[in-house]
Amino acid sequence: MAIIINIDVMLAKRKMSVTELSERVGITIANISILKNGKAKAIRLSTLDAICKALDCQPGDLLEYRSDN
């Protein structure tokens, strides 16, 4: 997939655990892991909003486009 989700990078920068992010955002650890591992097919804007609030970041800090070539 050409869209990369950099939640792990932001978690490291904020010194926050997946468990803490899960509690702040209100989604399961399993769903955060799916996002972290690039297995997600979609993300709700409300979820992206909650993650950005919890990590004090912009959507562009989490999402990256890489060409498949």
Side-chain angles (χ1 to χ4, degrees):
M1 183 188 298
I3 302 294
I4 310 300
I5 301 176
N6 293 313
I7 288 179
D8 51 346
V9 173
M10 290 308 298
L11 285 171
K13 285 183 179 179
R14 300 296 188 252
K15 297 181 177 149
M16 187 183 298
S17 68
V18 172
T19 303
E20 185 178 351
L21 180 62
S22 169
E23 291 169 357
R24 288 186 183 195
V25 174
I27 62 175
T28 66
I29 294 171
N31 283 336
I32 291 177
S33 294
I34 288 169
L35 289 170
K36 273 182 56 176
N37 297 327
K39 304 291 184 196
K41 300 290 183 198
I43 183 170
R44 290 182 181 190
L45 290 178
S46 59
T47 301
L48 183 59
D49 177 65
I51 291 170
C52 287
K53 283 180 185 171
L55 292 173
D56 188 29
C57 68
Q58 295 294 313
D61 297 328
L62 298 172
L63 303 173
E64 177 183 349
Y65 173 77
R66 289 192 194 154
S67 178
D68 285 336
N69 320 28

